[in-house]
Amino acid sequence: MQGPRFAFGPFVLDPAAGTLLRNDVPVAVGYRALKLLAALVGRPGEILGKAELMDAAWPGTAVEEGNLTVQIALLRKLLGPAADGGQWIATVPRVGYRFTGAIEQLGNAKRNPLPLPSKPSIAVLPFVNVSNDPEQESFADGLTEDLITDLSRIPGLFVIARTSAFAYKGKAMELRGIAQDLGVRYLLEGSARRAAGRMRINAQLVDAVSCDHLWAERFDRSLEDIFAVQDEVTGKIVEALLGRLRTPAPRNRPRNLEAYDLCVRARKLMDDSPQTAQEAHLMLTRALSLDPEYAEAYRWLAMNHWMGWVHCGGPTEPTRSVALELARKAVAIDPNDAGSRWILAYLLAYERRFAEADAEFAKAIELDPNEADTWAALSDIAVLAGRVEEGLEHIRKAFRLNPFPASWYYLTLGQAQYAAGEYEAAVETLRRDETYRTSSRRFLAASLAQLGRLDEARAEVELFLVGNPHFTTRHWAATEPFRDAATLEHFVDGYRKAGLPE
């Protein structure tokens, strides 16, 4: 799922990979300049206003117009003259800039294929809502997500995570190409519709290597049978792929379908942006008023509180305590839910109840070895415990299960790379578009500082402090769940060199 590349003159620009080649040789180009060039090249011949360009290179940040002028000048020097002797980037006085060269779009860059796992591997593609009612979208999404969860809990299978599966929602792609992107052999696809208390679900299991259809079935049932149908579909797939049915421990199911719908919609809002957290909170609270024993709603409400303090730059005692209480409630209702277990484990680590946290992480992995978020969260905690190589192994496993993950995976990977002394790799990771930029800048600044690139490090510190004006290294060190003094000192050293407040 790489974006298009653009060829002009001797250059090839790959915005997704963050590279610029001149005659197939990499060109050293800064992050801001690359973003500006991608914006201009993406719309050749058009005049792009200064505000639009500044937003492309400095999203969500107030910077002086002089920064844009400097970056454009650097780009012109780097690109040199065009074939006709003119400039690739023309100035439109008092308005903006325009890319003047001829562009050839090369299409998607080839991605290295992921090797197939040793066990049967599968991705559940988002089920298509075939009703005319967009409100039914949550029903199809919830069905998809529940099937992913059910299959993920089967030890003999390798199952791609929800975030990566939903990267293909609404996209028309050949099944073999999707399977190669995700590194799986089998795909489950289907459609769903509900109306007047009834539902119709079509599902088919495809071998993406041979293009054979291994199983297909249609279900016309009462809406109240939705979870029984999910269990039946899961059983059919397990039987087809493993040759025998393996039944995992039972899951807590909602007793109220409206609560179920609210939980599905809230999960999507939490994926969209931190700003929608309040709306998700209201939906989850309403779901629990309809079904007070709905474990998954407690789990996502705990996650919502956790996301709130992560995006604000660090945990505060009230939000952390509430999140911990909610996670405990989720586990008490459904002790077989791996998602609730890893969230509880993560929060316990912040309480420095490390033995309990380690036990909960181990239980989460035992219940669901395919839960990518568990491995990513465990990576964070392992690194801060000084088990850096173990942390790197965990985050790599998380990326394999979830090739197109949420932004916090990149932050976790960058942190692990910094801890391992892989500063160049950390800079590359933390400057990716997919990385959530506000909180990751502290690790980016530290990595740049360790490389001796102090001007870049200080620039990242300034941007970080805009979103985190009260940050101090001392408070951060006191609130993070460090267990290893040497690892803590390594991070503090990078922060100090970068110029973060003591």
Side-chain angles (χ1 to χ4, degrees):
M1 297 230 332
Q2 298 292 320
R5 296 173 297 153
F6 302 93
F8 57 98
F11 298 98
V12 174
L13 173 68
D14 186 340
T19 60
L20 178 67
L21 304 179
R22 178 193 283 117
N23 296 323
D24 295 326
V25 177
V27 176
V29 56
Y31 175 79
R32 307 295 175 192
L34 192 79
K35 290 296 180 186
L36 289 171
L37 183 59
L40 289 160
V41 166
R43 291 161 58 185
E46 293 185 37
I47 299 172
L48 275 65
K50 295 178 181 178
E52 183 177 0
L53 287 168
M54 291 170 74
D55 190 55
W58 296 272
T61 305
V63 296
E64 295 181 359
E65 190 178 301
N67 288 292
L68 176 61
T69 305
V70 168
Q71 292 295 331
I72 292 292
L74 288 173
L75 267 178
R76 284 172 170 159
K77 182 177 180 181
L78 183 149
L79 295 174
D84 61 3
Q87 294 181 329
W88 291 104
I89 302 170
T91 301
V92 181
R94 296 182 297 280
V95 179
Y97 298 91
R98 178 170 59 88
F99 192 85
T100 61
I103 296 293
E104 179 187 359
Q105 187 166 320
L106 301 179
N108 291 351
K110 287 188 177 179
R111 167 189 177 90
N112 292 329
L114 295 169
L116 289 176
S118 58
K119 59 178 72 172
S121 51
I122 184 171
V124 181
L125 299 180
F127 274 52
V128 178
N129 170 29
V130 292
S131 75
N132 294 322
D133 182 4
E135 289 296 317
Q136 300 305 324
E137 200 72 27
S138 63
F139 175 71
D141 289 350
L143 172 64
T144 307
E145 293 170 356
D146 281 350
L147 288 170
I148 292 171
T149 299
D150 290 340
L151 289 168
S152 181
R153 298 166 75 234
I154 305 296
L157 296 180
F158 177 97
V159 183
I160 290 294
R162 177 179 70 96
T163 309
S164 292
F166 272 82
Y168 296 91
K169 184 176 174 68
K171 291 184 170 64
M173 282 185 65
E174 183 196 10
L175 292 181
R176 181 173 291 180
I178 295 174
Q180 288 175 346
D181 269 356
L182 297 175
V184 296
R185 176 163 185 170
Y186 304 100
L187 296 172
L188 179 69
E189 60 174 352
S191 62
R193 176 177 183 165
R194 76 175 184 185
R198 303 285 299 177
M199 63 179 174
R200 172 175 290 179
I201 295 170
N202 290 286
Q204 60 179 353
L205 179 64
V206 180
D207 183 332
V209 175
S210 65
C211 296
D212 291 336
H213 286 67
L214 304 183
W215 167 82
E217 196 161 332
R218 186 174 78 179
F219 301 86
D220 283 297
R221 303 277 183 86
S222 165
L223 190 56
E224 295 177 353
D225 294 334
I226 176 61
F227 303 119
V229 169
Q230 290 176 8
D231 290 342
E232 194 171 337
V233 172
T234 301
K236 297 280 190 181
I237 295 166
V238 172
E239 189 173 5
L241 298 185
L242 297 179
R244 62 190 183 280
L245 182 59
R246 297 186 184 183
T247 306
R251 289 178 61 201
N252 170 265
R253 298 289 197 178
R255 299 180 180 130
N256 183 289
L257 286 177
E258 184 182 347
Y260 174 69
D261 277 346
L262 286 165
C263 192
V264 172
R265 290 164 60 195
R267 290 196 304 243
K268 186 176 186 306
L269 285 172
M270 290 164 64
D271 286 344
D272 286 345
S273 72
Q275 287 71 34
T276 57
Q278 183 60 34
E279 191 176 350
H281 175 87
L282 294 173
M283 286 183 176
L284 292 167
T285 303
R286 171 63 178 160
L288 287 171
S289 71
L290 294 169
D291 187 349
E293 295 300 307
Y294 188 6
E296 194 170 354
Y298 282 107
R299 184 234 287 195
W300 288 104
L301 200 54
M303 172 71 92
N304 202 30
H305 279 275
W306 171 69
M307 286 177 69
W309 54 253
V310 166
H311 288 304
C312 290
T316 62
E317 184 60 35
T319 55
R320 192 175 71 201
S321 298
V322 172
L324 181 60
E325 181 182 347
L326 291 165
R328 285 194 186 280
K329 179 74 170 177
V331 170
I333 294 173
D334 188 357
N336 297 319
D337 181 43
S340 299
R341 291 276 187 179
W342 82 253
I343 292 171
L344 176 59
Y346 195 85
L347 291 164
L348 285 168
Y350 268 89
E351 293 292 323
R352 287 174 167 68
R353 300 168 73 159
F354 295 122
E356 290 180 70
D358 292 345
E360 291 295 341
F361 271 123
K363 186 62 178 176
I365 291 168
E366 177 189 335
L367 287 166
D368 186 351
N370 291 301
E371 175 60 75
D373 287 355
T374 302
W375 293 108
L378 182 55
S379 170
D380 182 17
I381 300 305
V383 165
L384 301 185
R387 306 193 305 269
V388 178
E389 288 304 317
E390 182 183 319
L392 281 166
E393 181 182 344
H394 292 333
I395 191 61
R396 287 170 185 144
K397 185 174 292 188
F399 269 95
R400 180 62 187 88
L401 288 162
N402 197 0
F404 307 115
S407 59
W408 65 274
Y409 278 50
Y410 291 93
L411 186 152
T412 303
L413 174 59
Q415 173 186 268
Q417 289 167 330
Y418 174 87
E422 299 173 5
Y423 305 125
E424 291 282 5
V427 169
E428 183 179 351
T429 295
L430 296 168
R431 277 186 165 165
R432 290 178 65 99
D433 282 347
E434 298 93 336
T435 307
Y436 186 77
R437 301 288 293 164
T438 300
S439 53
S440 67
R441 289 188 192 279
R442 62 183 186 270
F443 300 129
L444 175 56
S447 300
L448 289 165
Q450 298 289 15
L451 290 168
R453 295 157 62 177
L454 296 181
D455 288 344
E456 292 177 74
R458 302 244 156 80
E460 293 297 338
V461 165
E462 287 182 21
L463 291 170
F464 173 74
L465 292 176
V466 169
N468 303 271
H470 305 299
F471 177 90
T472 66
T473 300
R474 187 179 299 107
H475 180 263
W476 175 82
T479 55
E480 291 293 301
F482 280 99
R483 280 187 256 183
D484 180 68
T487 303
L488 171 58
E489 180 53 37
H490 182 197
F491 277 99
V492 170
D493 179 60
Y495 284 8
R496 188 179 295 121
K497 288 176 179 175
L500 279 159
E502 293 283 344

